[in-house]
Amino acid sequence: MKQSKSTRRRGLILTIAGLKRLQASILTMEKVQNNGHRFTLEDLGDRMNVSTKTLNRLWSLNTGVDQKTLKLCFSAFNLELRREDYTVLSEPNNTENFQTLSLSLDTEEQKLSPSLSLDSFVTQHHNLLENLWSYPDGPVALDSPFYVERPPIEELVYREIIQPGCVIRIRAPREMGKTSLVLRLLAFAKMQVYSPVNVNCSQIDSSCLTDLNKLLRSLCWQIATELGIDPKLDENWDEEIGCKLSCSVYLQSYLLKQSKSPVVLVLNEVDRFFEYPEIAREFFGLLRSWYEEARQDNNLQKLRLVVVYSTEVYVSLDINRSPFNIGLPIRLPEFTEYQVKYLAHRHGLDWTSNKEVKQLMSLVGGHPALIRIALYYLCCQGITLEELMQDAIANGGIYRYHLWRHWAILQENPSLVKAYVEVVAAKQSISLNPIDTHKLESLGLITYEGDRILPRCELYRAYFKKQLGVAEFEYKSLQKRA
């Protein structure tokens, strides 16, 4: 029986083998028909007779498309779609339950592969099984079925990264999905045959953060190394002209000039620089200058800069020298009810009534990491939602590691403890030290409701009210004894 459009399955994604076949054929045609120049998304869409939005879905390796679309994409480059080129990925509107492994293939899929055996079915869903039983810690892997898109964010960053000399600014507290998004952006960039360079600023030595020359040499060395270029820093670094100009000349005339393709430079956790105001002003001003010069410099147009951070800048920066007011700003929001429901379905939970979704979100909001942890325990540890809710704020509860980490950070900073006590206890609008506010927001501990500063979710309010109450009591007792 033919499915209606409203229930039509769009559940096929490319396998690594299929992706390699298609990409190789695209590269060949670019050499033959386009003098080796890259096809833009629009060029590819015209050739395949699909929209650029559909192409973004295809390249994401996470969002399903239908069989007809895959056939169009492959036939446009003289390829016949094979069974090993794609795998089945269920969409949220299917009622199949993963836990019972009762997923079935639709009629068209059965026609394409009538001899599909139970063994091949289990192999096909091996990654899904592995992901289900893995504790959700760290970024969501590229092949994970548990990545939740937050439209239009993915489409925006894919579209922006192909623009010459672009800057993308991704901001969100820890565990909100920044790294998972960056992984997909880098995968997309690799499919465009761009050269990725991923710099984690938290790994930079402290000695480099008090010496601009050392910092810029360290950065240039890492970029060169990841691009497979011999750094030759001493030969290409002129102390006489100053380290910032030396860095810019080195980047433009040495690194980018040698690179045959655009370079995607990701700077992760740039918040680290905020603790060193003088270095931050000089470094961020340099980033801004590259963006502005790219308008007229062909080499700098190859640079695609992605800046990833947790909080608003609390270092005083000249508005005309700051990189935090240029380019495409991306701020990752919490999951919506629909997205939580979608993720629950991926875990095999039938939450169609939305009752359970609302119940869980009343405790943790739409916080991606807290939602994932809850679903893991519900599916893999045999606890009920009611038990989870009762146990959540206990020191030995399912969120203990998450909560302990925040508590440890607060205890290391007395001013933050004092500020958060005020937030947790406040029944009306309060004013906090701006730097403390920025730090609390970067930790993901607070949110805003109009002018009011509130704990990010009920879990935080209840847990930290208990912890901070005990800490305040102990502090006062020690004062009395003294």
Side-chain angles (χ1 to χ4, degrees):
M1 190 170 114
K2 190 174 180 181
Q3 290 177 305
S4 67
K5 287 188 176 182
S6 61
T7 59
R8 181 187 181 189
R9 293 185 56 172
R10 300 176 60 83
L12 304 184
I13 60 170
L14 288 174
T15 60
I16 296 300
L19 177 60
K20 287 181 177 178
R21 282 188 70 219
L22 182 57
Q23 189 65 33
S25 188
I26 291 173
L27 287 172
T28 299
M29 195 166 289
E30 285 171 340
K31 291 176 183 177
V32 174
Q33 298 184 7
N34 207 36
N35 296 319
H37 298 302
R38 301 293 296 141
F39 290 137
T40 65
L41 275 182
E42 288 74 16
D43 292 336
L44 290 173
D46 290 342
R47 285 175 175 270
M48 297 174 176
N49 198 27
V50 298
S51 68
T52 54
K53 183 175 181 179
T54 298
L55 275 179
N56 284 328
R57 290 167 62 91
L58 182 69
W59 294 151
S60 73
L61 301 185
N62 179 268
T63 307
V65 298
D66 57 27
Q67 181 189 328
K68 181 181 177 182
T69 297
L70 282 183
K71 285 185 175 181
L72 282 173
C73 295
F74 274 68
S75 63
F77 293 93
N78 303 317
L79 294 173
E80 182 179 347
L81 182 66
R82 300 174 184 170
R83 187 61 187 84
E84 62 267 24
D85 291 327
Y86 68 91
T87 188
V88 179
L89 183 70
S90 299
E91 289 295 316
N93 58 357
N94 291 327
T95 58
E96 300 151 327
N97 188 331
F98 172 74
Q99 283 184 306
T100 61
L101 284 180
S102 62
L103 291 164
S104 61
L105 301 174
D106 64 18
T107 305
E108 285 299 314
E109 290 160 358
Q110 289 174 359
K111 286 180 181 177
L112 191 60
S113 183
S115 60
L116 190 66
S117 66
L118 180 61
D119 287 342
S120 63
F121 172 83
V122 172
T123 300
Q124 184 185 72
H125 292 281
H126 178 67
N127 285 336
L128 191 59
L129 282 164
E130 278 192 341
N131 278 288
L132 183 63
W133 292 98
S134 298
Y135 184 80
D137 185 27
V140 183
L142 284 174
D143 61 351
S144 171
F146 300 139
Y147 179 73
V148 178
E149 288 196 351
R150 283 173 270 192
I153 288 173
E154 287 79 8
E155 184 177 351
L156 287 173
V157 296
Y158 295 156
R159 186 187 302 161
E160 189 68 17
I161 205 66
I162 64 175
Q163 303 302 319
C166 71
V167 171
I168 299 174
R169 295 181 285 115
I170 301 174
R171 178 196 164 205
R174 186 173 174 175
E175 296 185 314
M176 284 293 291
K178 298 190 300 296
T179 306
S180 298
L181 176 62
V182 167
L183 285 178
R184 281 149 185 83
L185 179 56
L186 289 175
F188 177 80
K190 287 179 183 177
M191 295 181 65
Q192 309 305 309
V193 198
Y194 294 174
S195 301
V197 177
N198 199 356
V199 177
N200 188 338
C201 297
S202 66
Q203 295 176 350
I204 297 174
D205 287 350
S206 296
S207 61
C208 292
L209 294 172
T210 55
D211 185 326
L212 186 62
N213 187 61
K214 286 182 68 174
L215 172 63
L216 297 181
R217 284 176 65 94
S218 171
L219 178 64
C220 287
W221 183 89
Q222 184 170 350
I223 296 172
T225 302
E226 292 204 29
L227 291 177
I229 297 173
D230 186 349
K232 293 185 178 181
L233 275 171
D234 291 333
E235 296 94 320
N236 294 281
W237 202 269
D238 188 348
E239 300 285 354
E240 296 297 321
I241 64 174
C243 59
K244 287 197 294 183
L245 187 54
S246 287
C247 178
S248 295
V249 171
Y250 181 84
L251 180 71
Q252 292 169 252
S253 303
Y254 184 66
L255 295 182
L256 293 175
K257 192 172 184 179
Q258 290 188 66
S259 180
K260 295 180 181 179
S261 61
V263 174
V264 178
L265 174 58
V266 178
L267 297 176
N268 269 300
E269 299 190 39
V270 299
D271 311 66
R272 180 94 188 277
F273 295 115
F274 299 163
E275 299 170 24
Y276 304 84
E278 292 302 319
I279 291 288
R281 291 186 187 96
E282 298 294 335
F283 181 72
F284 292 138
L286 183 61
L287 298 184
R288 171 68 177 251
S289 72
W290 293 346
Y291 172 77
E292 293 177 341
E293 287 180 35
R295 297 170 186 172
Q296 54 193 15
D297 186 286
N298 290 334
N299 280 332
L300 271 177
Q301 286 180 5
K302 292 181 184 177
L303 182 66
R304 316 295 162 84
L305 185 61
V306 182
V307 181
V308 186
Y309 55 111
S310 296
T311 185
E312 292 287 6
V313 186
Y314 57 80
V315 174
S316 177
L317 295 175
D318 183 337
I319 192 171
N320 297 312
R321 298 183 64 204
S322 171
F324 297 100
N325 55 8
I326 58 173
L328 174 68
I330 296 293
R331 186 168 180 177
L332 295 181
E334 292 193 342
F335 288 161
T336 63
E337 281 189 16
Y338 173 81
Q339 288 163 338
V340 173
K341 182 178 177 181
Y342 167 81
L343 191 54
H345 174 82
R346 281 296 173 89
H347 283 75
L349 297 171
D350 183 15
W351 285 4
T352 52
S353 70
N354 268 16
K355 174 187 173 183
E356 296 89 347
V357 172
K358 292 179 182 295
Q359 193 175 352
L360 179 57
M361 292 184 74
S362 71
L363 178 70
V364 298
H367 192 295
L370 300 182
I371 294 290
R372 285 284 313 277
I373 291 171
L375 294 176
Y376 168 81
Y377 276 93
L378 291 172
C379 292
C380 304
Q381 300 294 324
I383 68 173
T384 66
L385 183 56
E386 289 70 23
E387 291 170 337
L388 183 151
M389 300 281 289
Q390 292 172 6
D391 187 55
I393 67 169
N395 277 326
I398 68 166
Y399 294 121
R400 56 188 177 278
Y401 299 117
H402 178 92
L403 295 170
W404 287 349
R405 177 173 59 79
H406 281 307
W407 179 233
I409 294 171
L410 285 176
Q411 285 185 306
E412 290 173 1
N413 194 324
S415 69
L416 283 188
V417 171
K418 182 180 178 182
Y420 208 49
V421 166
E422 293 184 45
V423 172
V424 168
K427 295 182 179 179
Q428 56 188 10
S429 182
I430 60 171
S431 296
L432 295 178
N433 178 302
I435 293 180
D436 287 339
T437 304
H438 286 304
K439 288 182 177 179
L440 288 172
E441 186 182 13
S442 71
L443 290 170
L445 287 173
I446 61 173
T447 188
Y448 295 96
E449 186 180 277
D451 293 331
R452 289 191 65 190
I453 301 173
L454 304 170
R456 186 171 195 106
C457 59
E458 188 56 35
L459 173 70
Y460 289 174
R461 182 192 298 278
Y463 176 81
F464 288 110
K465 186 174 183 179
K466 179 174 70 175
Q467 293 297 106
L468 292 168
V470 170
E472 189 175 20
F473 174 78
E474 291 176 347
Y475 176 71
K476 289 179 178 178
S477 297
L478 286 172
Q479 281 188 319
K480 287 179 180 178
R481 290 175 191 172

